[in-house]
Amino acid sequence: MALVDVHGLAFSYPGDEAPALADVSLRLEPGEVVALLGPSGSGKSTLLRALAGLVPHFHGGRFAGSVLVNGLDTRRSRPAALAGTTAAVFQDPEDQVVMALVRNEVAFGLENLGVAPGEIWPRTEEALDAVGASHLAERRTAELSGGELQRVCLASALALRPRLLLLDEPTSQLDPEAAERFLGLVAELGGTTVLSEQRTGRALGLAARVLFMEGGRILADAGKGDGLAWLAEHRSHYLPAQAHLERSEPRGEGVCRLNGVRFAYRGGPEVLDGASLDVRRGEIVALEGPNGSGKTTLAKIAAGLLEPAAGKVWRAGRAGYLSQDPGRYLVRDRVVDEVALAVGGDRARAKAALERVGLGWAAERHPRDLSSGERERLGLAAVAVAEPDLLVLDEPTRGIDPDRKAEIADWLTEYAAAGRGVLVATHDRTFPVDRRVSLGREALLAA
Amino acid sequence: MRLGSGRRAVRLAPVPAAALLAAVAAAALLMDSVLALAVLTAALLLLCTQAHARLRPYLFGTGTAALGLFLVWPFLQSTGIDVIWEGPIVPVLGQLDVTWEEIELAAVSALRLAAVGLAFSAYALLLDHDRLVASASFARHSALAVALATRLVPTLERDAGGLAEAVRGRGVKVDGVRGHARLLSPLVAGSLERAANLAEAMEARGFGAGVPTRAPGPAWAAADYAALAVGAALVLAAVLWL
């Protein structure tokens, strides 16, 4: 008997005319690992939520068809009743953490499910151990990095011993090595797993089956071999990309130079210890390094948002900075006003910037009505509209589908070609750049 | 909460630890002896150092308030005969002078404030709040709301910083009360969005599924009973002798 049986599923969110899911049917057998691919807004997250019972119970909306998970009809069983059979890890770990201490966080789900008190701590320890996070047990969740929190969220899911594990871009905040380890753990679990990822190489490396969604429909549902062939023929951007080769020599007139920069956050250890960096006009420079290596800090110093404790910073002209997760930091009630903020309310320039990132249609909408991928592009437009000489972007491809990523890369190439410098702090080695510099844990940077 | 360090450290369960800190704060408010207050404050400061860097804002707030009180107090009092400084006559306030008695009263008040502030700092920084509120065997949902509110304060703080930084990153200055006040509405909107996402994640983790159980807390050790006794004794001593 299939673990999951979805038949003729259609769903629209409240107030939306366009369906988020349309005529979706699929069966998942025990032990299957499925890569769920597709562009932003294609319905991947909605499908995962439907499998967890959160659609329609939590979100409301119009629901047709049926979803059976382990024999339970999700229309009749609330998500809480499905918990334990299913477990989900969503994209942003900060939005999932309930408790103040890590071990209490992992125990939270077990307590909710009524697990015998004597079993709770052993299962908590077992789950933390499985994700290599035993050392975090006594730490406060508020003090953990995004990568550490993602591991804690996975431990919280694993502690429930679910038959169906639903992962919605669970490695979006991890560096490549940590992401590999994370997915390696998932592979070892052996349960049924549905993994939605925008960095498709990771998901395809793990999965035996590929689902591709677009416009709320499943366009392809095949084993790995046939799935890859389908992608090669129809959606080649989704095939695992090779690391982008780049020119190695700096060129052009300098726009930003950091020399021997040191920095420590108040009361914390030194994050940067003598880092140096050189960005020239006309080039895109990638700033790489593992989680916690100081990429964001160095990017903020380059943009003038932080002052180093020691070292020299030289910048020609203005700098603009796009933070990680910019969709969370939107401050105006209309999309066009959000972009116009940086240009003294010039709506004509704002609309032109929105057109360039493909959001001209959304000018009069509320920014929080946009999807997460659209918000990322809105953030980019809001920073780039003022055409700063140095554009600093922190993880701009997080949560962006391969098609949009290619568009952003083209756009940034044009931006740099106009005589400006671009610095991109990223884990994404497939993002095309002119030069890469690595920021190791020892915080020494080779420019 | 841990008392001491190394192998000889004693770990207290959340309830006795909270009771001890409450007793210490109450005793500080009841004491009049400068020496006893100074010892109590020093002991609390030593305890709080376990929190390392996280202590800084608490220490800054407590220290500034206590020092400010110590400096201002003598000028608000007019007591004592042992004058050590005689100042000018100020309209409304009258003659400004400082006596040894006023200095002593100022020290008592400042140390009381410091002790209460540090007791709160220890409560905020060192206690397992999750288990403390879970110890309430009634009103589980309300207790969870308290735990969530505690956890979301630093998140809110980070979001406020992120909003200001996002605006500054676009070359727009965020100055003064008005500039920051404009970020209040998006901060609230972002918090509501977070709350909705969190509620969804909680439901997916079985919240409200049925009758929950509770992970067993650590059994009370002799140190926990001793902490309760010490707390009670401290309050009694403060009332009777200190």
Side-chain angles (χ1 to χ4, degrees), chain A residues 49 59 78 94-95 97 99-101 104-105 111 115 117 121 140 143 267 300 320-321 338 368 375, chain B residues 53-54 125 127-128 130-131 151 158 165 168-170 193-194 197-198 200 203 205 212-213 215-216:
Chain A
R49 280 164 170 75
H59 292 276
R78 289 200 60 85
E94 279 208 0
D95 285 359
V97 173
M99 308 303 267
L101 283 188
N104 297 335
E105 174 64 20
E111 291 177 324
V115 170
W121 292 131
R140 285 177 186 266
E143 292 169 3
K300 285 180 182 175
Y321 174 80
E338 187 72 40
R368 291 186 190 275
R375 288 192 202 183
Chain B
R54 290 186 297 126
L125 295 168
L127 251 64
D128 180 349
D130 299 335
R131 292 295 143 203
R151 194 193 76 70
R158 262 203 308 277
E165 196 171 73
R168 284 172 55 220
R170 301 181 207 173
E193 203 171 53
R194 261 196 205 286
N197 291 343
L198 183 62
E200 184 186 29
E203 184 142 9
R205 291 170 67 189
T213 49

Side-chain angles (χ1 to χ4, degrees), chain A residues 48-375:
Chain A
L48 291 176
R49 280 164 170 75
L51 297 180
L54 294 163
V55 161
H57 290 288
F58 189 83
H59 292 276
R62 281 170 292 153
F63 185 98
S66 66
V67 178
L68 297 177
V69 177
N70 202 28
L72 292 171
D73 186 338
T74 62
R75 295 184 82 158
R76 296 194 185 89
S77 306
R78 289 200 60 85
L82 290 167
T85 303
T86 67
V89 177
F90 300 115
Q91 188 175 350
D92 192 338
E94 279 208 0
D95 285 359
Q96 299 166 65
V97 173
V98 180
M99 308 303 267
L101 283 188
V102 167
R103 64 184 165 87
N104 297 335
E105 174 64 20
V106 179
F108 175 73
L110 296 171
E111 291 177 324
N112 290 334
L113 296 185
V115 170
E119 278 185 46
I120 292 176
W121 292 131
R123 281 174 67 169
T124 298
E125 284 161 21
E126 181 186 293
L128 281 168
D129 193 40
V131 301
S134 300
H135 63 291
L136 300 176
E138 297 297 322
R139 293 272 304 275
R140 285 177 186 266
T141 51
E143 292 169 3
L144 301 185
S145 70
E148 288 172 330
L149 266 184
Q150 267 178 326
R151 277 199 282 169
V152 171
C153 289
L154 182 63
S156 302
L158 296 186
L160 306 181
R161 295 179 183 161
R163 297 196 65 198
L164 174 63
L165 185 60
L166 305 166
L167 304 174
D168 194 356
E169 297 193 35
T171 65
S172 60
Q173 298 197 15
L174 302 182
D175 60 52
E177 290 73 26
E180 288 297 323
R181 282 199 300 274
F182 186 97
L183 293 181
L185 284 168
V186 171
E188 285 170 17
L189 297 173
T192 308
T193 304
V194 184
L195 170 63
S196 167
E197 270 283 350
Q198 291 298 5
R199 293 177 188 174
T200 55
R202 294 174 187 165
L204 290 169
L206 185 71
R209 179 176 166 189
V210 178
L211 284 177
F212 189 92
M213 294 189 73
E214 206 168 87
R217 295 174 185 276
I218 294 178
L219 296 192
D221 179 359
K224 189 169 178 175
D226 290 344
L228 287 171
W230 186 90
L231 288 173
E233 189 177 347
H234 300 282
R235 298 288 187 278
S236 56
H237 274 139
Y238 286 82
L239 285 173
Q242 298 297 314
H244 184 80
L245 297 175
E246 64 279 350
R247 293 185 296 273
S248 56
E249 289 300 312
R251 57 177 186 148
E253 183 190 335
V255 68
C256 176
R257 194 167 299 131
L258 309 182
N259 197 5
V261 165
R262 303 170 80 96
F263 187 88
Y265 289 96
R266 195 172 56 187
E270 200 156 50
V271 182
L272 296 170
D273 177 14
S276 299
L277 174 69
D278 188 13
V279 183
R280 310 290 180 97
R281 289 187 188 274
E283 69 173 359
I284 303 173
V285 178
L287 183 58
E288 298 179 335
N291 288 122
S293 60
K295 295 189 301 297
T296 295
T297 304
L298 195 65
K300 285 180 182 175
I301 290 173
L305 293 174
L306 290 177
E307 287 295 322
K312 288 186 177 169
V313 178
W314 172 86
R315 201 180 305 108
R318 288 179 301 120
Y321 174 80
L322 181 68
S323 63
Q324 279 186 38
D325 200 7
R328 198 176 280 288
Y329 303 125
L330 301 168
V331 295
R332 290 287 187 260
D333 293 335
R334 263 186 295 203
V335 165
V336 66
D337 294 333
E338 187 72 40
V339 180
L341 180 66
V343 286
D346 186 337
R347 291 167 66 96
R349 275 179 78 180
K351 282 184 176 171
L354 284 170
E355 291 292 348
R356 280 199 295 274
V357 296
L359 286 176
W361 58 272
E364 299 301 327
R365 294 188 69 175
H366 195 289
R368 291 186 190 275
D369 285 341
L370 304 184
S371 72
S372 60
E374 289 162 349
R375 288 192 202 183

Side-chain angles (χ1 to χ4, degrees), chain B residues 6-28:
Chain B
R7 287 184 178 179
R8 303 176 76 177
V10 174
R11 186 177 284 274
L12 295 182
V15 171
L20 178 61
L21 289 173
V24 167

